[in-house]
Amino acid sequence: MFRTKTVEQSIRDTEEPEHALKKSLSAWDLTVFGVGVIIGTGIFVLTGKVAKENAGPATALAFVAAGIVCALAALCYAEFASTVPVAGSAYTFAYASIGELPAWIIGWDLVLEFALGTAVVAVGWSGYVRSLMDNVDWHLPASLQGPDAAGGTFDILAFLLVLVLTAILVVGMKLSARITAIVVAIKVTVVMIVIIAGLFFIVGDNYKPFIPPAVTPEGGGSNWDSPMVQLIFGYEPTNFGVMGIFTAASVVFFAFIGFDVVATAAEETKLPQRDMPRGILGSLFICTVLYVAVALVVTGMQHYTELSVSAPLADAFKAVGHPFYAGVISFGAAVGLTTVCLILLLGQTRVFFAMSRDGLLPRFFSVTHPRFKTPYRPTILLGVVIAIVSGFTSINELATLVNIGTLFAFVMVAAGVIVLRRTRPDLHRAFRTPWVPALPVISIAASLWLMLNLPGETWFRFAVWMVIGVVVYFAYGRKHSRLGKAGQDATY
């Protein structure tokens, strides 16, 4: 269960002709992918929610805190991605350092997280597009607007979006990168317009107090009422104050989810040892700067107590008499969610492909397309399944998804860096995580702290899915593992 797959064997597997992915990505492509998946609904929605409920103008500091937690994990991801440039991200890294069962558990969880995450984003994208269509008096039949709409049964827009993105991913990564670059350019331009335009409407008094005094909400209501936190630490739920900043950080953390998806494309990168660290760290830095700027602008335009929770940026511009920018923001959100959906789907198929190539899932899914050199079988299968889920499922049901699995992956990757440094000190590491083991230990502690702040039902869902995964592993994966068939110390 804890047999490890050597780095050398992982790299040799990428050289098998029918199981090899085409190398076509540069550092710029990876950075664009990272920015494309990170900037989504978080920058358009979460800012108002946490400012009004948790941190006030200090929401900017919450974004900084969350960015630091992600940066700690990113440094660990960068070392692994440059040392083991193989598809699969945290799954592959855990297989090379900690063992097969932990690797399976991570891969199993990431497949679910990326799949449901893609469905959530697709349904959200559909809502923004319908809103834009309503502005020009175009209306879809009620039955095709999805379960969230009155009388709706099937969300045709979400369904078609996932199918189109699936086709793009089948045709090739370079095409995906080009389309992503165009969309990301539009999205970042919209964000910059909002930031620059918003600067002219900032009122200094809106920043007072910058860190609102702590209050105890009636009946709880903050992340500090997490049963895990209360059970272990006995904290009284509070909003605002210094602790409110960390509460906000545990919420806005999810606006950063996605930089780790960049690592799933390591095998398709021309010079992974050089470009993977640049892509991961570069995209994270760019998005952190944009998030902090947006938080400062929106809380400066409108007092945090008056911010809208559902559409803070758009409503802030309406409040200062400039509704035109609200339309610009809606357009930017719709465009931005397209790349989020694309790259989440990409990440999921690469993890699935890597698990299949190792025999833990049927090997049928690890054959690449003879012309495009993409994992077309899992891409088509998962794309169709997610498209159907997107079409028939209410966003209120999907929105309960939280990324506890991603935080768990952060923990495993950081632990893996420590283990691999001890077990394989001879490996060439183009990028080395600084201050090992101190920095990975801090990364583990920070990720666990955010996990503790997640609701109890999230932990329950996580536990149930993990139990199912362990059953599948022992029923199929362990018996069909290529490493297991060859013997623990043998090559295959």
Side-chain angles (χ1 to χ4, degrees):
M1 290 186 294
F2 293 94
R3 56 198 174 208
T4 58
K5 181 180 178 182
T6 66
V7 174
E8 292 81 2
Q9 185 57 58
S10 295
I11 295 175
R12 278 198 296 272
D13 283 351
T14 69
E15 298 168 354
E16 298 176 0
E18 65 175 2
H19 301 288
L21 298 172
K22 184 178 180 180
K23 297 182 181 296
S24 60
L25 301 179
S26 64
W28 172 251
D29 293 325
L30 295 172
T31 302
V32 168
F33 272 135
V35 174
V37 72
I38 295 172
I39 298 181
T41 54
I43 200 168
F44 299 106
V45 177
L46 286 180
T47 305
K49 175 179 173 60
V50 298
K52 191 167 186 176
E53 299 177 1
N54 304 115
T59 296
L61 298 181
F63 276 113
V64 172
I68 290 173
V69 173
C70 290
L72 293 171
L75 289 168
C76 298
Y77 268 89
E79 175 168 325
F80 261 122
S82 62
T83 307
V84 193
V86 178
S89 186
Y91 158 77
T92 298
F93 305 156
Y95 209 165
S97 58
I98 302 175
E100 185 173 275
L101 179 58
W104 164 267
I105 289 174
I106 290 177
W108 180 253
D109 187 78
L110 290 180
V111 165
L112 173 73
E113 298 292 335
F114 289 157
L116 294 186
T118 303
V120 169
V121 174
V123 174
W125 175 89
S126 174
Y128 275 110
V129 172
R130 289 199 306 272
S131 176
L132 290 172
M133 291 172 64
D134 290 342
N135 290 340
V136 293
D137 205 29
W138 292 354
H139 306 286
L140 286 173
S143 60
L144 298 180
Q145 294 186 24
D148 288 315
T153 55
F154 184 75
D155 193 331
I156 186 66
L157 292 178
F159 176 78
L160 292 177
L161 173 67
V162 176
L163 290 185
V164 170
L165 297 181
T166 298
I168 291 172
L169 288 175
V170 168
V171 171
M173 279 292 286
K174 196 61 184 178
L175 175 61
S176 304
R178 288 170 181 166
I179 292 175
T180 301
I182 294 170
V183 175
V184 168
I186 296 172
K187 176 164 58 175
V188 173
T189 299
V190 169
V191 173
M192 291 303 297
I193 290 173
V194 170
I195 293 172
I196 295 171
L199 290 174
F200 294 95
F201 305 107
I202 290 177
V203 177
D205 287 344
N206 287 336
Y207 289 128
K208 299 175 183 178
F210 191 76
I211 302 178
V215 297
T216 301
E218 296 181 5
S222 79
N223 271 12
W224 296 97
D225 64 356
S226 162
M228 290 292 179
V229 171
Q230 287 197 4
L231 178 65
I232 298 173
F233 300 100
Y235 279 129
E236 179 75 11
T238 59
N239 283 334
F240 304 109
V242 174
M243 299 309 293
I245 296 174
F246 292 102
T247 302
S250 69
V251 177
V252 301
F253 168 82
F254 302 107
F256 288 90
I257 294 298
F259 76 86
D260 54 313
V261 179
V262 176
T264 65
E267 191 174 327
E268 293 158 275
T269 304
K270 295 176 184 176
L271 297 171
Q273 288 79 6
R274 183 195 70 185
D275 293 343
M276 287 305 302
R278 293 180 180 180
I280 292 173
L281 296 171
S283 59
L284 183 60
F285 175 78
I286 291 171
C287 292
T288 301
V289 171
L290 291 176
Y291 278 7
V292 170
V294 167
L296 289 173
V297 166
V298 73
T299 54
M301 291 177 62
Q302 195 172 20
H303 197 267
Y304 74 91
T305 57
E306 301 173 356
L307 284 173
S308 161
V309 172
S310 59
L313 290 180
D315 290 345
F317 277 103
K318 290 180 181 178
V320 296
H322 289 270
F324 166 77
Y325 290 104
V328 173
I329 292 167
S330 296
F331 173 74
V335 170
L337 292 181
T338 305
T339 55
V340 177
C341 196
L342 173 70
I343 301 166
L344 283 175
L345 185 58
L346 179 152
Q348 187 212 28
T349 57
R350 270 46 179 184
V351 173
F352 197 96
F353 170 81
M355 296 172 74
S356 171
R357 188 164 58 187
D358 290 332
L360 301 181
L361 290 171
R363 289 269 288 172
F364 170 82
F365 294 109
S366 64
V367 177
T368 55
H369 193 281
R371 177 183 174 187
F372 303 125
K373 294 299 179 183
T374 56
Y376 69 107
R377 290 175 177 174
T379 300
I380 293 172
L381 170 67
L382 296 171
V384 170
V385 170
I386 295 172
I388 294 172
V389 171
S390 301
F392 284 105
T393 309
S394 167
I395 195 169
N396 291 327
E397 297 172 19
L398 292 175
T400 57
L401 170 71
V402 291
N403 287 282
I404 188 172
T406 303
L407 284 165
F408 179 65
F410 286 4
V411 170
M412 299 300 284
V413 169
V417 168
I418 299 173
V419 172
L420 203 61
R421 284 283 188 96
R422 290 184 176 274
T423 59
R424 294 297 308 274
D426 57 304
L427 285 175
H428 171 68
R429 292 169 170 85
F431 178 88
R432 296 176 68 87
T433 303
W435 308 308
V436 174
L439 189 144
V441 168
I442 294 172
S443 177
I444 291 171
S447 297
L448 287 174
W449 176 248
L450 293 185
M451 289 175 71
L452 288 173
N453 283 281
L454 295 173
E457 58 268 23
T458 300
W459 281 86
F460 177 75
R461 177 193 63 81
F462 181 69
V464 170
W465 182 249
M466 289 300 99
V467 168
I468 295 173
V470 170
V471 171
V472 173
Y473 171 75
F474 283 104
Y476 181 89
R478 190 164 184 261
K479 298 176 182 177
H480 295 83
S481 166
R482 296 181 69 198
L483 186 61
K485 288 181 178 179
Q488 184 171 351
D489 298 319
T491 58
Y492 55 82

